[in-house]
Amino acid sequence: MTIQVTHSRGEHITVRSGDVELLRYVYAPDANAFEARKPYIHPLRTLAGHQVSGYRPNDHRWHKGLQMTASHLSGQNFWGGNSYVHGKGYLRLPERIGSMRHDDFPALDIESERFHLAEALTWIENGGNEWAREQRGITVHSVDEKAGSWALDWTIRLTNTRGEPLRFGSPTTAGREMAGYTGLQWRGPRDFSGGTVFGPDDDVTAGTAELMGTQSPWLAFTAEHDDVDAHSTLVFAHAPENLDGASAIHDSHWFVRSEPNPTVAFSWAFFEEFELAPGASFAYRYRVVVADGVWDRDQVATHLQGLTW
């Protein structure tokens, strides 16, 4: 199937297939600095038009669809919202909230069945100092009407431009058990609460507690929508080098919940902090498959095998 792309300059890029807006990539600054100003994807939809992303839910206003985050970075919060402090819990500390500034689109490549954007961003701590430069890539591809699915690839290459190491952590590295959220994060819509989550090598059908903090090549989340008689499935997958250490600086683990709120994050610092030296870089590649219907483990595995990196 062909795709169409519309660029509202200075605001967002929209990708459509037929009459359905598959995604909107918003790169304009957020209005609220406390929510950590940074680009995000919302809405995110299936080929049938069912929305599979949440935006500013009342429990976490800073959760916006699919976005790159860093919850604990050298004392700053690039996740947004309250900051976790060991022994004190979550505190409103606006002086810790950082931002990610859109600088440029070095490339916007549009084909009939594929769209790729390359973006340059700067990570800025709350005081205005530039700490890191990011090269981001987002690609929409593999729109498959028969399978009822399409794929989105998200890449990041981050370089420390600060004069000292950047320390990446999470609430777990700061002392909160099994709360290692950071990195690329998806927030689902409210009706995805209580959805089913599974990985490639387990028999857990809704056991996010068993999957929290684990490692695997992919994780799937399927749920039933309100209002319409339909289910949707999202598959979150690592590029092979993310897990074999070929380019990634640190091991990745899953942060996943279906209750009380549906969310998945590719956490790069779940259990342990890591440092990025001045001038050094790290890179990750991720894939999200957005599908109509209820997919099982075999269907997910077969589909992923048919997609090349």
Side-chain angles (χ1 to χ4, degrees):
M1 293 181 65
T2 61
I3 58 176
Q4 304 85 40
V5 178
T6 303
H7 188 184
S8 298
R9 296 188 181 278
E11 297 181 4
H12 62 262
I13 293 174
T14 299
V15 181
R16 307 180 67 88
S17 178
D19 295 330
V20 176
E21 181 185 66
L22 299 180
L23 67 84
R24 180 175 297 180
Y25 184 65
V26 181
Y27 62 92
D30 284 337
N32 191 337
F34 188 66
E35 296 173 10
R37 291 171 171 156
K38 54 188 176 295
Y40 60 88
I41 289 176
H42 177 81
L44 190 64
R45 293 190 178 96
T46 70
L47 288 181
H50 303 310
Q51 186 170 305
V52 292
S53 61
Y55 177 75
R56 298 192 73 245
N58 59 29
D59 51 82
H60 295 81
R61 293 296 188 196
W62 47 94
H63 285 188
K64 296 172 183 176
L66 182 67
Q67 58 183 344
M68 184 59 66
T69 72
S71 60
H72 288 64
L73 177 56
S74 294
Q76 290 279 291
N77 175 356
F78 289 79
W79 175 279
N82 296 333
S83 299
Y84 179 78
V85 179
H86 185 54
K88 298 181 180 180
Y90 284 93
L91 303 177
R92 186 178 181 87
L93 301 172
E95 68 275 11
R96 291 194 179 190
I97 305 296
S99 62
M100 300 177 192
R101 183 187 68 209
H102 164 80
D103 294 329
D104 187 25
F105 286 122
L108 293 172
D109 300 323
I110 304 171
E111 302 175 10
S112 63
E113 298 180 354
R114 183 181 182 90
F115 168 66
H116 172 75
L117 70 81
E119 184 181 19
L121 304 100
T122 302
W123 291 34
I124 305 170
E125 58 88 33
N126 189 266
N129 295 309
E130 298 182 358
W131 276 10
R133 297 287 173 84
E134 180 190 344
Q135 296 173 311
R136 178 176 299 182
I138 295 176
T139 304
V140 175
H141 63 98
S142 302
V143 180
D144 187 337
E145 187 174 17
K146 183 177 180 180
S149 66
W150 61 277
L152 180 153
D153 290 357
W154 187 307
T155 66
I156 175 175
R157 181 175 180 83
L158 194 71
T159 302
N160 180 2
T161 58
R162 193 184 183 200
E164 57 186 278
L166 287 173
R167 301 188 319 279
F168 290 80
S170 67
T172 293
T173 68
R176 186 185 175 204
E177 186 176 356
M178 299 304 286
Y181 53 83
T182 193
L184 183 63
Q185 184 235 2
W186 164 80
R187 174 63 191 255
R190 186 74 63 182
D191 51 6
F192 269 43
S193 299
T196 299
V197 184
F198 58 90
D201 300 318
D202 60 75
D203 296 323
V204 179
T205 57
T208 56
E210 290 83 358
L211 292 169
M212 178 71 84
T214 62
Q215 293 178 293
S216 64
W218 58 263
L219 198 70
F221 196 118
T222 183
E224 184 175 10
H225 293 276
D226 290 336
D227 190 40
V228 294
D229 296 327
H231 291 74
S232 296
T233 300
L234 285 93
V235 182
F236 305 89
H238 283 281
E241 70 271 14
N242 289 7
L243 300 177
D244 66 16
S247 64
I249 191 173
H250 199 259
D251 290 341
S252 295
H253 297 77
W254 295 112
F255 177 85
V256 52
R257 285 179 178 158
S258 63
E259 294 180 310
N261 47 64
T263 184
V264 174
F266 297 84
S267 176
W268 52 38
F270 195 110
F271 295 108
E272 298 177 346
E273 283 191 348
F274 69 89
E275 288 191 352
L276 185 65
S281 304
F282 69 74
Y284 289 94
R285 292 193 298 161
Y286 307 107
R287 175 164 291 164
V288 180
V289 176
V290 181
D292 287 299
V294 180
W295 284 20
D296 60 23
R297 183 173 286 107
D298 291 341
Q299 189 172 0
V300 170
T302 300
H303 190 81
L304 289 177
Q305 289 172 2
L307 299 178
T308 61
W309 285 96

